[in-house]
Amino acid sequence: MRDADTDNKQLSSSTCYDLAIIGRGLIGSAASRHAAKLLRGRSGGHAGKIVLIGPSEPDTAACTDGCAAGSANHPKVYGAHYDEGRITRRTDPDPIWAELASRSVRRYGEIREDATTCCTARQATNSKRTTGTTSATSSVPSDDDDAASLDFFVECGHLAVGPENSETIQRRKQTAASMGIVDCASLDENCLRDAFPYLHFPAGCVGLHEPRESGYISARRLVAAQTTAAQNMGVTVIDAVASQVERSSPDMDNKDDGKGVFTITTEPLIDCNCAGCVKVGIGKRRRIRAKKVLVAAGAFCNARPLLPVKLDLTPIKTQTVHFVLSDEDVDRLEGMPSIIFKDESMWSYLLPPIEYQDKTVRLKLGGARLGSDGGEYGPSREMSSNEEVMEWYQTDGSDSSRDEMVELLRGFIPNVNPVRIISNSCATLNTPTRQAYIGELSEGWGVATGGNGYAAKSSDELGRLAALSLLDKPKFDSEFICGKSVSDVFRPVPMSK
């Protein structure tokens, strides 16, 4: 992926973009790729002027002066995509989320191809530049490394487990049948035990095994691939935090079609004015102009004046535990699928052994006890303010939840002996409709958010629909999903006064 700081330096205050996308996460990066494709197809090969705004993952080594900005001054936003393992599957109890996922999975190859084209083109350029020269060392990753870093999907299969007659298993079977997924295998209690002898589930549980086009994705690598593909098509990436969006009055001299333009104000990534931070571009404020704006800022959509109205969104505290594995356990669990378990008292998801950035190999488990209403999270996990979201992200989660999840993981995989146990905090963003919000809130001002904990695997289709909602609204309004209009299914709900 091209260095976003290069784009920062090339930014001109006189530029008016066709579209500004706020949020460089899973949905925002997908929207930028699809927006570039839409505009390129419309203008005979030119992608128009698109800017993708958002901070990179916090890096304590960013400041060349060695200040404590990365630790003492916390980042202003966090991304739920800072992770290596998110379940992907085509089946789901909700047919709409199943269809979103299926459409996204079918384009995984296209995403990588679009991104790899960038690496191949750069490799040819670099070969011309470096002919006749040699270098003993380089801090820049090789093109082979870049290409390998775009491998975001691991097709290890997916396993859904629950009581035989439970709603979650029956609805998954119905969804698989309606979508024509014929390679899902129903496993009774004995077959489940025989197929996965290292796993243990309560008596009476059965499984639905989906071996193809499912497994897990690296959220980090998927964002990198989407962003690289977008940059390859001319999208500008700005490494900054958007703090405000304002609509200006029409200005015909600036060719804004008489509809006015938007001004996006960005702020420094961290509050630090040392020479090192300013040098790498994280201490600058900017004003960016655009004809249209898409806000895909996740849990921070309502936190700043980024939208014309506040939306009915509820950030939820979530948490995961990671078991750092020994080589022996890694070998024993080879071929393990991603897993979702749900019964009347709790639900959990479990990722197979995955290598993380620090070269450790980990199992990851998330989940919770079901609330009294049967919901996945109780009211005690709801967060009501941006400050509460920020405070939560700066913790390792709660000790009681950690202990509960450690017990669950040991129950699912007996005899696992972790070298180390890590607890991480995270958050989901829930909507009252249990569907994502996608669409215009006012002319030229749209939103794409509200993943409800299901968006990672479906993010490419959510991004496509988001781009469509602003760049080709008639087509967006004419699209359907599971027999329903997408403009109705994903209609944003304003917060009640």
Side-chain angles (χ1 to χ4, degrees):
M1 183 171 66
R2 188 169 74 234
D3 188 350
D5 187 50
T6 301
D7 290 337
N8 285 354
K9 294 173 182 176
Q10 293 174 345
L11 182 64
S12 169
S13 60
S14 64
T15 300
C16 184
Y17 291 93
D18 296 307
L19 174 66
I21 299 170
I22 298 173
R24 281 173 60 196
L26 287 156
I27 297 176
S29 63
S32 71
R33 183 178 75 90
H34 284 286
K37 282 180 172 286
L38 281 168
L39 290 183
R40 187 171 64 173
R42 184 182 300 170
S43 58
H46 186 265
K49 291 182 292 186
I50 301 169
V51 61
L52 176 61
I53 306 166
S56 301
E57 184 170 352
D59 180 3
T60 56
C63 176
T64 55
D65 279 9
C67 77
S71 54
N73 296 295
H74 291 290
K76 300 190 175 187
V77 295
Y78 290 82
H81 64 275
Y82 304 159
D83 189 33
E84 293 299 329
R86 294 298 177 86
I87 291 176
T88 188
R89 65 191 190 278
R90 293 169 295 163
T91 60
D92 193 278
D94 184 324
I96 290 175
W97 282 107
E99 179 61 27
L100 289 170
S102 185
R103 294 180 186 182
S104 297
V105 171
R106 288 197 295 266
R107 285 197 292 267
Y108 284 172
E110 175 190 303
I111 297 167
R112 193 186 189 287
E113 182 179 353
D114 285 350
T116 305
T117 300
C118 178
C119 294
T120 303
R122 187 173 66 230
Q123 187 174 23
T125 302
N126 289 344
S127 296
K128 293 178 182 178
R129 290 175 179 170
T130 59
T131 300
T133 66
T134 60
S135 175
T137 61
S138 174
S139 61
V140 180
S142 70
D143 294 291
D144 288 342
D145 289 338
D146 276 354
S149 72
L150 302 176
D151 291 329
F152 56 84
F153 173 46
V154 176
E155 191 179 38
C156 61
H158 176 69
L159 178 65
V161 180
E164 183 172 4
N165 295 316
S166 62
E167 182 181 13
T168 183
I169 293 294
Q170 297 307 314
R171 289 180 65 179
R172 282 175 182 267
K173 289 181 178 180
Q174 292 168 7
T175 300
S178 65
M179 294 176 63
I181 303 175
V182 298
D183 55 353
C184 282
S186 295
L187 305 176
D188 63 22
E189 187 173 357
N190 292 329
C191 290
L192 182 61
R193 186 186 308 111
D194 293 342
F196 305 101
Y198 46 82
L199 299 176
H200 175 77
F201 300 103
C205 284
V206 299
L208 187 65
H209 185 221
E210 183 183 342
R212 292 183 56 255
E213 296 185 323
S214 62
Y216 69 88
I217 55 173
S218 165
R220 281 190 180 101
R221 292 188 179 194
L222 178 52
V223 168
Q226 295 276 28
T227 305
T228 298
Q231 286 179 304
N232 185 41
M233 290 181 275
V235 173
T236 298
V237 177
I238 303 301
D239 198 5
V241 176
S243 58
Q244 185 174 9
V245 177
E246 299 173 284
R247 188 197 295 270
S248 63
S249 58
D251 184 350
M252 297 303 295
D253 292 335
N254 285 320
K255 299 180 181 180
D256 61 15
D257 301 324
K259 298 179 181 178
V261 298
F262 296 91
T263 299
I264 300 100
T265 303
T266 70
E267 60 187 51
L269 298 184
I270 52 177
D271 292 321
C272 183
N273 295 315
C274 80
C277 285
V278 171
K279 181 178 179 181
V280 298
I282 60 177
K284 300 178 182 178
R285 296 181 184 275
R286 293 184 172 86
R287 291 170 70 83
I288 301 165
R289 299 170 67 246
K291 297 176 183 177
K292 295 183 178 183
V293 175
L294 173 68
V295 179
F300 297 93
C301 282
N302 277 345
R304 293 173 169 80
L306 301 177
L307 298 171
V309 295
K310 286 191 178 294
L311 299 178
D312 191 346
L313 295 165
T314 305
I316 302 292
K317 295 178 182 178
T318 60
Q319 187 171 336
T320 61
V321 292
H322 296 213
F323 276 23
V324 178
L325 299 178
S326 65
D327 291 343
E328 180 182 356
D329 276 333
V330 172
D331 292 341
R332 182 167 69 95
L333 299 175
E334 183 178 0
M336 176 179 164
S338 62
I339 299 167
I340 293 179
F341 172 85
K342 187 174 183 179
D343 65 11
E344 65 279 357
S345 63
M346 56 82 64
W347 74 280
S348 292
Y349 63 88
L350 185 59
L351 276 298
I354 299 173
E355 183 175 311
Y356 274 69
Q357 290 179 308
D358 61 0
K359 303 303 181 183
T360 60
V361 178
R362 312 180 189 179
L363 287 173
K364 185 181 84 169
L365 179 139
R369 298 289 179 186
L370 297 181
S372 58
D373 61 351
E376 294 175 357
Y377 297 108
S380 64
R381 290 179 178 260
E382 296 179 359
M383 294 181 282
S384 58
S385 68
N386 180 52
E387 291 73 24
E388 193 174 358
V389 173
M390 292 294 293
E391 289 175 4
W392 174 249
Y393 266 118
Q394 292 168 25
T395 73
D396 295 327
S398 75
D399 291 341
S400 60
S401 292
R402 174 190 181 277
D403 293 343
E404 181 179 277
M405 287 190 286
V406 166
E407 181 182 353
L408 289 173
L409 202 159
R410 291 187 184 279
F412 290 137
I413 306 180
N415 304 317
V416 65
N417 294 304
V419 175
R420 183 160 49 105
I421 298 175
I422 300 169
S423 176
N424 283 334
S425 59
C426 194
T428 61
L429 191 62
N430 288 4
T431 65
T433 63
R434 300 300 286 169
Q435 303 296 338
Y437 288 164
I438 299 173
E440 280 188 314
L441 301 175
S442 68
E443 188 175 5
W445 200 341
V447 69
T449 192
N452 292 274
Y454 307 125
K457 66 184 182 300
S458 306
S459 56
D460 189 68
E461 177 64 4
L462 293 172
R464 185 189 74 86
L465 292 171
L468 206 61
S469 71
L470 282 175
L471 299 179
D472 194 342
K473 194 170 186 303
K475 188 173 189 311
F476 176 75
D477 289 339
S478 68
E479 289 222 357
F480 286 79
I481 185 166
C482 299
K484 301 177 181 179
S485 167
V486 297
S487 59
D488 290 335
V489 171
F490 303 119
R491 191 182 307 279
V493 178
M495 183 181 294
S496 59
K497 297 180 179 180

